[in-house]
Each structure stands twice: as structure tokens, then as C-alpha cells.
Amino acid sequence: MSHTPLGLKPALGWNSWNTFTWDINEQLIREVADRFVSDGYKDAGYEYIVIDDCWSLKERDAEGNWIVDSNKFPSGMKALADYIHSKGLKFGMYSCVGTHTCAGYPGSFEHEFQDAKQLAEWGVDFLKYDYCFKPRHMSGELLYKRMSLALKNSGREILFSACNWGEDNVYQWIRESGAHMYRSTHDIQDQWESIKKLALSQLDKTSYTGSFCHNDMDMLVVGMYGGSNNGFIGSKIGGCNDLEYQTHFALWSMMGSPLMIGCDIRSANEAAKATLLNPDLIAINQDLEGRGAYRIKPEPQWFHTNEVFILVKVLTDGDLAIGFFNLSDDQREISLQFWDLGLPYASGFSLSLYDCWEQQELGVFTERYAPTVPGHGSHVVRAKLARR
Ligand code: GLA
């Protein structure tokens, strides 16, 4: 197997937080690893299995080492890492720049190099690094540089996933810090309004994402249907429908976000699986050049709303990924003039379009394409130049 450099493309994986929050254990993580293999997630490219907050005891030992919660993880982290690796997958864990994690467990402040060494010894491949309990006199920028340096010198390749929720102008310094991805948003909720708010908040930030430092719009809620054990994330607010989950997945894919599944894949239904495993959307997300998408305001310009827009991602092979997004509540025709893609009529080219959700060819179009998209819906095509 050829070796892909760490962080070249947006990470693909699963994270325990959205559904399970504090209620995690090694059996669950092993079963998720099994499902990655048996249900096609691994073949689709998903790789990292990440334990979020709440895996340790509340105090460190006398030498300042973390103590794994042996009720939740009786075999320890090394054994769990070995199991995950035996499936050809990678193992992720979680800590925090501050004195404590967001849920009140020991953070890595002033333990950065010790913790990085411990993670390497356990065989960890990915560290999500949160922003709670940051000492006020320290800059977050410096603390991310610290852990980045510690990880890069830990003796193991560990992908560094920064999680400071888009605060403190993270866009301006995170790439230089050495992080491979960075959370740009506050926590997602399993609810349409949350998906919409997060996506809209990143539309003017697309030039910051790219290879080796990807804009992480937060873990996916696809397939949760309100099934979190946490009221804020989902159980009190009811979840989304399949169309909304598709739109969510299309936005995250087109905008180059890492795709970290947040549902319980052991009980995912067929609709959720079809969304999460869509090969054409994943290919767009994983396109080698890793370009951000640009936005086009659809014609006619008179309906001026930021809830209806087109995203275009220039792909490595010359194709264009084009997403028509209707985040409003009512059905819309969304009209794209090919002129706005840099394709004048006089070029002699039309576009041959392939529908990524329906997975079928749509035919050849000249000058203009105007699909009708339902409220909360998306239509994503892969466009190839075709000489007339
Ligand atoms: C923060 C992060 C979440 C999750 C929790 C864990 O809220 O943004 O993604 O990691 O902490 O406590």
C-alpha cells in the first residue's frame, strides 16, 4: 500500500461524541471497528475511529500520567489500538489545551510532551485537541504549536486535529501551527437549523481550507434521528430527515471538511448508509488537490437570499463538482450560467453532467443548467467539458 502523507486529504472516520458522549467503552469501539469492515465503511475510505472526551479518570497519577478508566476500557488503550490496527484502521483519542477537558477530565496543559509520548506508546494515530479550560494568560495559538511540536516528535505519526471552535482568528494561524485540521464551528446539533447555521458560517472561509490543514465543520449528524444520549446534541430536539442529512453530507463534502461519522453505525438504517457511503460525494471530498469551493449566486439576482447558492469545486482532473443548495424552506429553481464557471459559449464546450445522488448521467447541457431543488435539499453534479 502506498503511503499517503498525513493530513493530505480531509480525514474520514467515526467519533464517539455525538451519540454516546460520556457513555463509551472498549466493547463499543471494537464493534464500531468491526462494522467499519463488514458494512463497507472501510472500503469507502473511512479510516479513523476516535474516542472523544470521558475516557480517563478525573486525576492523573503521582508521576502526572493519565489513568485510563478501567471500568470503560478494562484491556487498556494499547490493546484497543492493536485491535483497531488489526482491522487495517486507525485509532484516535482526545485531549485538551487546558487544565481540564470540556467534560472535566485532565487536560494536557503543561503535560503536552508527556502526553504525546503516552499516545505514541499506546499506538494512537490521531489526537483531537479541544479548547476548554485554557489558562487565560496563555494564547491558544501557542498551545496548539506546543502540542503540534510534541506530537511531531513523539516517534509516531499522529494526525493533529485542533478543536478551538473557530475562535481567536484561528484561520490566520492554525496552518502555521502544524495542525492537520481545525474545528471552525461551535458544536453541531442534530437539527436542521444547526446544520444550516454551521454551513453558512463557513461560506466566506473557503479559501482557508486545503491540503494538510482542513476546515473541520464538526462531526456529522447523518443517521442520528435524535439518537444522542445528550439533550443538547439531539435527544431533546428530534433530529433531521433523510433529505436534510443528504444536504448536510453534500455541504461538508463539497466544502472539504473532514467527514467524521457521529451516528451509531451499528444501527444505521439504509438511507443513512447510502448517504455516508456515497462514492461520488466522497470522491469530491477527497479530491487530491483539496481546493476550497467557490460560491455563485444563482440567477435571477433579484431573489437575494444567502440560503440559496451554488458551490463549485475545481477537481484535479479538470472536472467541476457543482452543488446546488437550497437551504430555504420552499422549492426553488436554481439557475447556473456556465459563463460564471469560466465557460463562455464561444469556447465551443458544453458540460456533460453526472448526478452524484442519483448516480446517473444527466446528459449534455449548453450555456445553462437550472435544476429544481426542494427546500432543505441539494443537487450535486460532476461536470465534464464536452466539445460541441
Ligand atoms: C467540546 C467539543 C466537542 C466535544 C466535547 C467533549 O464541546 O467541541 O466536539 O469534543 O467538547 O466534551
Side-chain angles (χ1 to χ4, degrees):
M1 204 168 70
S2 70
H3 179 78
T4 308
L6 202 61
L8 174 65
K9 298 174 179 184
L12 301 177
W14 178 91
N15 176 300
S16 58
W17 186 254
N18 279 355
T19 295
F20 299 97
T21 62
W22 58 272
D23 191 15
I24 47 176
N25 61 73
E26 64 181 41
Q27 190 55 31
L28 164 69
I29 304 302
R30 283 167 187 254
E31 286 173 19
V32 169
D34 295 345
R35 289 300 186 122
F36 258 48
V37 176
S38 64
D39 293 6
Y41 294 93
K42 182 183 173 199
D43 285 346
Y46 291 95
E47 188 176 24
Y48 290 96
I49 296 185
V50 181
I51 299 177
D52 208 279
D53 207 345
C54 309
W55 57 265
S56 74
L57 295 188
K58 291 259 166 114
E59 304 292 338
R60 290 174 180 266
D61 71 11
E63 280 78 52
N65 295 309
W66 274 317
I67 310 172
V68 174
D69 184 334
S70 57
N71 287 323
K72 295 175 176 172
F73 299 94
S75 315
M77 292 305 175
K78 178 80 176 77
L80 191 52
D82 288 347
Y83 185 80
I84 290 172
H85 293 150
S86 77
K87 304 263 159 185
L89 300 168
K90 291 187 172 158
F91 178 41
M93 287 186 66
Y94 165 99
S95 187
C96 186
V97 299
T99 52
H100 296 82
T101 70
C102 297
Y105 294 82
S108 290
F109 180 62
E110 304 288 36
H111 290 272
E112 291 88 353
F113 288 81
Q114 177 180 19
D115 289 350
K117 182 164 166 279
Q118 175 71 87
L119 293 167
E121 282 168 11
W122 282 336
V124 170
D125 308 294
F126 176 114
L127 177 68
K128 173 174 169 180
Y129 206 47
D130 220 330
Y131 210 51
C132 288
F133 296 100
K134 179 180 76 62
R136 226 174 274 156
H137 64 285
M138 300 291 299
S139 88
E141 180 177 349
L142 184 66
L143 294 177
Y144 280 107
K145 285 178 185 157
R146 235 194 232 183
M147 187 49 106
S148 168
L149 195 59
L151 291 174
K152 282 188 188 296
N153 291 280
S154 67
R156 193 176 168 84
E157 279 205 334
I158 301 179
L159 189 142
F160 189 27
S161 163
C163 178
N164 94 325
W165 323 309
E167 292 195 353
D168 299 331
N169 297 320
V170 67
Y171 308 94
Q172 274 142 43
W173 49 262
I174 194 66
R175 179 174 291 273
E176 293 89 321
S177 78
H180 299 102
M181 56 194 263
Y182 62 97
R183 263 279 293 287
S184 53
T185 59
H186 281 269
D187 291 13
I188 196 167
Q189 295 170 279
D190 184 15
Q191 182 192 48
W192 172 248
E193 284 308 315
S194 170
I195 290 168
K196 180 168 156 180
K197 189 173 86 191
L198 266 47
L200 291 176
S201 79
Q202 296 309 304
L203 281 178
D204 62 348
K205 306 281 197 318
T206 53
S207 61
Y208 294 101
T209 199
S211 308
F212 300 108
C213 193
H214 305 274
N215 181 346
D216 172 9
M217 293 162 60
D218 204 357
M219 283 102 56
L220 301 169
V221 293
V222 175
M224 288 179 66
Y225 306 102
S228 176
N229 68 0
N230 178 290
F232 171 82
I233 298 173
S235 58
K236 292 222 174 81
I237 50 182
C240 304
N241 63 38
D242 292 330
L243 183 72
E244 293 167 340
Y245 285 139
Q246 277 192 337
T247 303
H248 167 37
F249 193 75
L251 284 163
W252 267 234
S253 294
M254 290 238 16
M255 292 172 80
S257 176
L259 302 174
M260 301 300 288
I261 298 169
C263 70
D264 183 353
I265 59 168
R266 299 169 309 172
S267 56
N269 67 15
E270 289 308 315
K273 266 168 58 184
T275 297
L276 293 168
L277 296 173
N278 180 294
D280 300 304
L281 269 298
I282 293 175
I284 291 169
N285 177 261
Q286 296 287 297
D287 184 69
L288 184 60
E289 290 186 1
R291 298 186 187 280
Y294 61 87
R295 178 174 28 162
I296 295 177
K297 292 227 171 81
E299 301 286 344
Q301 295 286 356
W302 53 256
F303 79 71
H304 230 67
T305 160
N306 60 3
E307 298 182 341
V308 180
F309 54 88
I310 300 165
L311 288 178
V312 184
K313 179 167 165 153
V314 174
L315 303 176
T316 308
D317 67 357
D319 288 1
L320 298 171
I322 309 176
F324 299 81
F325 292 98
N326 180 4
L327 308 191
S328 81
D329 295 337
D330 307 310
Q331 174 172 298
R332 303 273 197 180
E333 184 186 272
I334 306 181
S335 173
L336 170 68
Q337 306 295 327
F338 296 172
W339 172 270
D340 291 325
L341 302 169
L343 192 66
Y345 182 80
S347 67
F349 285 100
S350 297
L351 288 180
S352 167
L353 303 182
Y354 170 86
D355 183 330
C356 295
W357 281 128
E358 299 302 325
Q359 300 189 263
Q360 64 184 25
E361 298 292 343
L362 294 171
V364 176
F365 294 79
T366 302
E367 268 195 297
R368 173 176 182 269
Y369 177 63
T372 297
V373 182
H376 301 191
S378 67
H379 177 66
V380 182
V381 299
R382 187 165 177 133
K384 236 179 230 319
L385 264 61
R387 190 172 285 284
R388 280 199 301 279

